[in-house]
Amino acid sequence: MTQPEEGTAEVPVKPHETAGGARHSGKFDAGPKLKRTRVSGTWIAVIVALIVLVFLLVFILQNQDTATVHFLGMSGSMPLAVAMLFSVIAGGALVALVGGARILQLRKQAKKSRHQLR
């Protein structure tokens, strides 16, 4: 038994009986740990996405200055924030295409490896 710190008293926890007659140690039992599921992960992603969209909306509303955009011989004017949003979307689409091609390549390679093992 450890010595209590100065000014504190150590109170031992005595086991007591529960309603079913079983003995209980008096310690808190949190029960089984809950597993994370895909649905809980999806909810977290949705909440984060909504927060990002709110910030994006505020950014667009605060940056309404008109900018002239030139692309592949075409030109036009649009709000600066909208032009930036289009460029971010195009960049994200490009990354998704390259990532998707790599995923397909790896799946094909894994399938080939599984067939060779048989």
Side-chain angles (χ1 to χ4, degrees):
M1 191 153 177
T2 62
Q3 293 291 330
E5 292 181 26
E6 191 174 316
T8 63
E10 189 173 303
V11 179
V13 177
K14 295 180 182 176
H16 61 278
E17 290 188 17
T18 60
R23 298 190 59 88
H24 189 272
S25 67
K27 294 182 181 179
F28 176 72
D29 184 18
K33 188 173 183 178
L34 296 176
K35 290 183 180 180
R36 286 190 174 188
T37 62
R38 288 183 183 174
V39 174
S40 67
T42 303
W43 274 109
I44 292 170
V46 167
I47 291 168
V48 170
L50 286 174
I51 292 169
V52 169
L53 285 175
V54 167
F55 282 116
L56 186 62
L57 181 62
V58 169
F59 175 77
I60 290 172
L61 292 174
Q62 288 181 347
N63 291 288
Q64 291 293 315
D65 297 335
T66 302
T68 303
V69 179
H70 302 279
F71 183 70
L72 297 175
M74 299 177 287
S75 65
S77 61
M78 63 178 66
L80 178 62
V82 175
M84 292 174 71
L85 178 63
F86 283 148
S87 66
V88 168
I89 290 171
L94 183 63
V95 168
L97 284 173
V98 172
R102 180 66 177 149
I103 288 171
L104 290 175
Q105 183 184 32
L106 290 172
R107 282 184 182 176
K108 185 177 178 182
Q109 188 178 12
K111 187 176 181 181
K112 188 185 238 183
S113 296
R114 273 184 268 146
H115 285 297
Q116 287 177 351
L117 291 175
R118 288 182 184 181

